Amino acid sequence: MNSVKSIVERMNNDELIRLARQLEVSLTNRKVKRDLLVETIQSELEEHYRERIPWKKTRLKDPAIQISGLTKKFGNTIAVRGLNLVVRPGQIVGLVGPNGAGKTTTLRVLAGIIRPTEGSVRVNGFDMNVSPLKAKQTLGYIPERPTCYPNLKVREYLTFIAKIYRVPPIDATLRMKEYVDLFQLNDLLDAYIGTLSKGNLQRALLVGIFVRPPPHILALDEPIYGLDPRGAWSLKVLLKKLRDEGSAILISTHILEIAEGLCDRFVIMNEGDVVGKGTLEELLVQTPNAHTIEEIFLELTGGIPGT
Amino acid sequence: MLFNHLKRTITSPSMLSFYAIMLVGTYLVSSVIAILGSYEPLFETVTTTIESTIDRSMVMSALGLVSLMAVVGGYLGRGPSAELTEIDEYIMMPTPTMPYQLFIPKYIRRIFRKLGFAFLALLVVLPLVSSSDIPLIPLGVLMACFIVFLEINYLLGSISFQIRSRLERKFKTPFRHFILLFLALVVYIPTLPEVTINPISSLLIPSNAFAYIVMEMTGIFASGLGPLNGLVCLLLGYPIAFLVVVNLVGQDYYERFALKTSNGGNESRISRMIRGEVDFSESRFNDPLMWVFLKDFWSKMRKPFQFWKYLYFFIGIAIALYLNIVRPIWLPPLIIPPELSFAAVPAFLLVLILVTQMASVSALLSFIDEKENIYLLKSSPFKASDIVLAKYFLSLFEVTLTAAPIVGFLAYFMRIEGSFYLLTLVAPLVLIFSATGVMVGAYVPVFTNEPSDPPVPLAFGFPAINIGFGALLMAIVAIYADDMQLVQVMPAFVVVVVLGLLALATFALRSYK
């Protein structure tokens, strides 16, 4: 409850009034003192959350992501061949590979954008082919190239996403404020998405994911792309926090420093095949000539080039 | 989003100025054309002329052919997934929403855009309509019916696309494609004279209902029963077709779009070429202008449509030459009645302008087809003028390919006094319209962050500007008709206009966001 109180204290006047309206706080006076309004809202929120804990703590099914025998063909080209992958709650798994390895295709199948040619994908226990709505309900996806509707304002986009995922309005307002602060998007809330830089767009998309209540199942395709060092740092800290709270995260990247610092396990792909998987220690055992994650990667994806 | 779009438009002066050019310019030009010729007598006699040339069943069959093409096009094409964008893929497809929930808003947006276009089109033809004394409300109703008919065809195409997708999932045998024959027969058989002879069965399918409305409202082959029956059938057909599509739309809708983005190999090849990662040592040309020209030429050649365009050119030119040289008696040209001869020249010129305008759309696409690569092209070590010139020369080539066969047919079918000399106006029209297309296309990234999606005022401003230049050209011809100065004034006018437009395009390229 303390975190909720501090979010309310950080809200500007317009946000406070919006939240007061959502809580049906009487605003009959022409003027109201900010401190008084904050106090009223806080007590209303205490009442609102008396019955249940904020951001209802549900637990993910184990495994949260289960990809079995996934093969995806585009015509005669095989993009992914026989991929088996499991991400359990409380894990960050790195999907690592060179360009064209099949990472993005894997994440698109996982997000329910395209269907697998063979095999199955289960998200939080739901088969993506059989119950796509239930499977997508807990999944957050960030694409490789961040893009969004240019004629929406950031605030409109975030509200829109909250509505699609059926986040209660009060929860959505509080969570939006929390993550807008974290990703420093305050000044851009009323900007059109079409005018945002790539980094700011990436932040807006991330806030769109975190507007939903945890625990999350995240499929992030190059999530650090375009973020400045502070944004990247905030995201890494946040992902670790989410993992510790029980979220399951699959990150596709070819930036090995990020993978090494963030991921518990790795799946290394090359030309559609899985060429290595396990923890860093297990991969070091599999590749005796390698001493770092970079050398493991090079060894498994065509050999370490001579100098 | 539509509201925000509108808000952004009315608060940005440059966009407003393009809207102003589009609306005021087109209205004025249309008024000038209306003054140049009185079209009322032309429309008075058109009914009898058409009734003596064709029969009722031909109208039904012709409109049935439009529906047939829609069904075949939908089956072979991308169906409703053509409306999806990459943003939908990244934002909406992974969300817990059903495909039909994405289809419906996309479709509503499409309808809003169509209505916008229809309104503008009505505004543009307003002076011509009033000059020919056509009542405005029936014309509006007819236009609305035309849109509904086109939309039903779009939905028929979408149904055929969904049927194909579902069959593909269940059957691998190539015999499944026989369904297309069945669908084509379902759409086309009811338009045959044997069926349409019965007034009740003739209204069963939308193309017949629309044909019935057109005939009743224009008085051509009118039965005298009024258009209401057809109107009811057409308006009933539309929600039925819409609801069928909504019920059929499924994951295949996403899949088809996603396949397109998965096979985007061409773009990267083009990007590599622009970056200079292509071995040009084999090429005899050592000039950036030629590189851009060749890049565009070959990337166009990789599209299947381009093959059909060349085929159309060669077959069209062959037929046009045959008609003009042999003049077969079994296909006589249109005979213009003497009482219409005064309106024939302006009408001929108007057709010439419209034909060239339609052919010059590829010039507009020369920059738009670059999509995001336009920024890559701009950052390449080429002069902006070289890029613009390369686009212009290829556009000239493309527009000529499209216009040449049509002009050949026009020369044969619309023989009026001096038509041979009037046809030479195609050359200046092509030169100017191609330059306008390049200029307007170059301005797209100035106004929007989506270089593949031209804003409405630009898309509509293109024909508006062209009709303006067309009218100016006609005025020059009229003023200097009996003066040898025409051979000096006309080329000077064309050179100044083309260079001016290309200079504007270069300026646009230098001012991208």
Side-chain angles (χ1 to χ4, degrees):
Chain A
M1 202 61 222
N2 285 338
S3 66
V4 174
K5 281 186 176 171
S6 81
I7 293 170
V8 174
E9 279 161 11
R10 289 202 307 271
M11 284 182 161
N12 65 30
N13 295 347
D14 290 340
E15 288 164 341
L16 280 176
I17 290 172
R18 196 172 294 130
L19 185 58
R21 287 199 179 117
Q22 285 170 340
L23 286 163
E24 295 176 0
V25 172
S26 171
L27 291 170
T28 48
N29 294 337
R30 282 181 69 83
K31 282 184 180 175
V32 58
K33 278 196 169 177
R34 183 186 157 88
D35 292 346
L36 185 68
L37 185 59
V38 168
E39 210 172 290
T40 315
I41 289 173
Q42 283 174 339
S43 67
E44 284 289 331
L45 281 173
E46 208 160 321
E47 182 69 23
H48 179 75
Y49 289 123
R50 191 182 297 277
E51 296 296 314
R52 60 189 184 91
I53 307 159
W55 344 131
K56 195 171 70 177
K57 298 262 184 197
T58 48
R59 294 182 72 150
L60 295 174
K61 297 224 170 80
D62 191 5
I65 297 173
Q66 186 174 26
I67 299 175
S68 314
L70 168 68
T71 296
K72 181 65 194 175
K73 289 182 190 171
F74 295 112
N76 294 324
T77 312
I78 300 177
V80 181
R81 197 186 340 249
L83 172 68
N84 292 301
L85 190 153
V86 163
V87 184
R88 304 183 67 179
Q91 266 190 352
I92 301 180
V93 173
L95 198 56
V96 189
N99 296 329
K103 308 185 297 286
T104 297
T105 302
T106 304
L107 290 194
R108 286 169 86 202
V109 174
L110 176 65
I113 296 168
I114 48 176
R115 266 195 292 244
T117 312
E118 284 166 31
S120 68
V121 170
R122 296 181 83 84
V123 178
N124 203 24
F126 299 107
D127 191 310
M128 189 57 84
N129 257 351
V130 182
S131 316
L133 295 196
K134 285 176 181 164
K136 287 175 181 179
Q137 187 64 42
T138 45
L139 186 77
Y141 171 66
I142 291 283
E144 187 182 16
R145 279 182 292 172
T147 178
C148 193
Y149 300 107
N151 290 315
L152 281 182
K153 290 178 178 176
V154 174
R155 189 192 302 280
E156 287 170 338
Y157 165 70
L158 297 176
T159 316
F160 170 66
I161 287 291
K163 283 189 175 163
I164 283 185
Y165 285 90
R166 297 193 180 90
V167 183
I170 296 166
D171 291 12
T173 306
L174 292 168
R175 292 190 64 78
M176 206 192 293
K177 177 65 188 168
E178 185 181 358
Y179 287 97
V180 161
D181 281 353
L182 183 71
F183 287 104
Q184 296 168 308
L185 270 179
N186 266 313
D187 297 337
L188 298 170
L189 270 178
D190 290 313
Y192 286 105
I193 285 175
T195 62
L196 298 183
S197 69
K198 280 214 164 104
N200 285 333
L201 175 58
Q202 182 77 306
R203 289 164 200 259
L205 294 179
L206 286 165
V207 177
I209 284 185
F210 298 123
V211 159
R212 298 170 238 167
H216 300 281
I217 299 176
L218 302 179
L220 309 177
D221 203 350
E222 303 289 356
I224 310 292
Y225 173 83
L227 293 182
D228 61 22
R230 184 174 291 277
W233 187 85
S234 302
L235 179 63
K236 283 190 275 188
V237 170
L238 177 66
L239 291 178
K240 284 179 184 166
K241 181 173 163 259
L242 289 170
R243 173 195 56 194
D244 297 341
E245 288 171 359
S247 293
I249 301 163
L250 179 64
I251 292 181
S252 152
T253 184
H254 50 235
I255 306 172
L256 298 171
E257 294 79 19
I258 290 166
E260 191 175 10
L262 207 56
C263 304
D264 307 307
R265 283 174 49 242
F266 302 90
V267 174
I268 302 178
M269 293 182 77
N270 191 30
E271 294 177 356
D273 293 311
V274 174
V275 289
K277 63 162 79 169
T279 59
L280 188 55
E281 293 71 29
E282 287 166 351
L283 285 168
L284 282 169
V285 173
Q286 283 174 39
T287 47
N289 295 334
H291 302 95
T292 62
I293 179 79
E294 193 175 22
E295 287 178 357
I296 292 170
F297 176 83
L298 292 171
E299 182 79 34
L300 292 172
T301 57
I304 301 171
T307 50
Chain B
M1 270 202 288
L2 278 170
F3 174 71
N4 281 352
H5 209 129
L6 184 72
K7 207 164 69 181
R8 287 181 78 182
T9 300
I10 57 175
T11 49
S12 57
S14 50
M15 196 72 111
L16 271 181
S17 61
F18 250 96
Y19 264 109
I21 290 174
M22 180 188 73
L23 292 172
V24 180
T26 339
Y27 189 86
L28 285 176
V29 167
S30 187
S31 309
V32 170
I33 294 170
I35 293 163
L36 280 176
S38 169
Y39 296 98
E40 191 184 345
L42 197 68
F43 286 103
E44 275 174 359
T45 51
V46 81
T47 309
T48 46
T49 313
I50 290 175
E51 283 183 344
S52 61
T53 318
I54 56 171
D55 60 41
R56 187 174 181 273
S57 63
M58 274 175 81
V59 180
M60 297 267 190
S61 299
L63 288 170
L65 210 59
V66 175
S67 292
L68 177 73
M69 295 299 286
V71 168
V72 174
Y75 189 87
L76 300 176
R78 294 198 285 131
S81 70
E83 302 281 327
L84 293 172
T85 62
E86 212 169 72
I87 301 174
D88 295 317
E89 174 179 334
Y90 294 146
I91 304 294
M92 289 308 295
M93 291 185 197
T95 60
T97 46
M98 296 296 284
Y100 76 85
Q101 289 171 316
L102 180 55
F103 169 77
I104 293 174
K106 298 295 288 183
Y107 185 72
I108 291 171
R109 184 181 155 85
R110 177 191 158 91
I111 292 294
F112 268 99
R113 283 177 75 96
K114 276 266 163 76
L115 289 176
F117 283 128
F119 171 73
L120 292 172
L122 202 62
L123 198 74
V124 166
V125 297
L126 210 56
L128 284 173
V129 167
S130 56
S131 128
S132 45
D133 225 11
I134 296 173
L136 196 61
I137 293 173
L139 181 76
V141 172
L142 204 60
M143 269 183 76
C145 289
F146 181 56
I147 292 175
V148 172
F149 173 60
L150 290 182
E151 283 311 301
I152 291 178
N153 285 333
Y154 169 78
L155 295 168
L156 287 175
S158 303
I159 293 171
S160 137
F161 164 81
Q162 294 293 341
I163 290 173
R164 178 196 172 174
S165 304
R166 281 168 186 238
L167 284 179
E168 259 176 7
R169 232 184 316 143
K170 288 186 179 160
F171 307 104
K172 294 290 166 216
T173 165
F175 291 112
R176 68 180 186 276
H177 295 301
F178 275 112
I179 191 75
L180 180 59
L181 188 66
F182 171 74
L183 293 173
L185 289 176
V186 167
V187 174
Y188 198 62
I189 283 178
T191 68
L192 297 176
E194 291 76 14
V195 182
T196 54
I197 203 151
N198 180 329
I200 295 171
S201 63
S202 75
L203 291 176
L204 272 179
I205 66 159
S207 65
N208 284 354
F210 179 61
Y212 181 82
I213 295 167
V214 172
M215 288 188 286
E216 292 298 322
M217 289 187 78
T218 56
I220 304 167
F221 305 118
S223 65
L225 293 171
L228 194 65
N229 293 329
L231 213 60
V232 169
C233 288
L234 193 72
L235 293 179
L236 273 177
Y238 178 63
I240 292 171
F242 176 71
L243 290 173
V244 171
V245 176
V246 168
N247 277 289
L248 282 178
V249 102
Q251 177 73 26
D252 311 294
Y253 170 55
Y254 290 173
E255 191 88 4
R256 186 75 190 173
F257 174 79
L259 275 180
K260 184 191 136 226
T261 50
S262 305
N263 293 333
N266 276 353
E267 278 184 14
S268 61
R269 276 207 295 277
I270 297 168
S271 307
R272 284 205 302 275
M273 286 179 102
I274 294 168
R275 284 198 193 99
E277 290 171 16
V278 169
D279 185 6
F280 281 98
S281 58
E282 294 291 314
S283 170
R284 285 184 289 132
F285 303 106
N286 191 21
D287 181 68
L289 191 150
M290 275 315 288
W291 292 347
V292 179
F293 184 95
L294 289 174
K295 178 218 42 112
D296 282 349
F297 178 80
W298 287 111
S299 53
K300 273 180 193 289
M301 275 301 284
R302 286 171 190 154
K303 293 178 184 167
F305 179 73
Q306 197 67 6
F307 169 75
W308 297 107
K309 194 168 175 178
Y310 290 132
L311 198 68
Y312 146 81
F313 172 73
F314 285 115
I315 294 176
I317 282 288
I319 296 173
L321 283 175
Y322 168 78
L323 291 175
N324 282 290
I325 294 167
V326 180
R327 302 199 169 191
I329 46 168
W330 51 269
L331 193 64
L334 292 174
I335 309 291
I336 310 286
E339 64 271 21
L340 290 181
S341 57
F342 69 94
V345 171
F348 183 84
L349 287 172
L350 194 61
V351 171
L352 208 61
I353 291 172
L354 292 177
V355 162
T356 320
Q357 162 56 32
M358 281 191 289
S360 60
V361 171
S362 55
L364 176 71
L365 298 176
S366 61
F367 271 105
I368 293 169
D369 275 351
E370 289 282 352
K371 297 177 183 165
E372 298 292 332
N373 285 329
I374 189 66
Y375 301 114
L376 216 54
L377 190 64
K378 202 200 154 212
S379 63
S380 58
F382 299 156
K383 280 190 210 160
S385 56
D386 277 343
I387 297 170
V388 168
L389 277 178
K391 295 281 178 193
Y392 179 62
F393 289 137
L394 189 65
S395 298
L396 274 183
F397 174 67
E398 290 281 320
V399 175
T400 309
L401 280 190
T402 315
I406 307 174
V407 172
F409 291 127
L410 208 62
Y412 179 72
F413 286 109
M414 274 191 85
R415 276 188 225 153
I416 57 162
E417 199 183 339
S419 63
F420 178 76
Y421 297 103
L422 290 174
L423 274 175
T424 56
L425 281 176
V426 170
L429 285 175
V430 166
L431 286 167
I432 292 176
F433 288 10
S434 299
T436 317
V438 169
M439 186 273 285
V440 174
Y443 265 100
V444 172
V446 177
F447 290 108
T448 169
N449 286 332
E450 289 176 85
S452 57
D453 189 13
V456 174
L458 285 186
F460 246 89
F462 171 53
I465 295 168
N466 278 350
I467 291 171
F469 281 126
L472 261 176
L473 218 61
M474 280 163 67
I476 290 174
V477 172
I479 293 165
Y480 292 97
D482 301 320
D483 196 335
M484 275 305 285
Q485 272 189 320
L486 181 66
V487 291
Q488 293 162 348
V489 174
M490 179 72 82
F493 172 74
V494 173
V495 167
V496 168
V497 168
V498 168
L499 288 180
L501 290 168
L502 295 182
L504 276 174
T506 312
F507 176 72
L509 208 62
R510 289 187 183 132
S511 48
Y512 283 0
K513 285 175 186 173

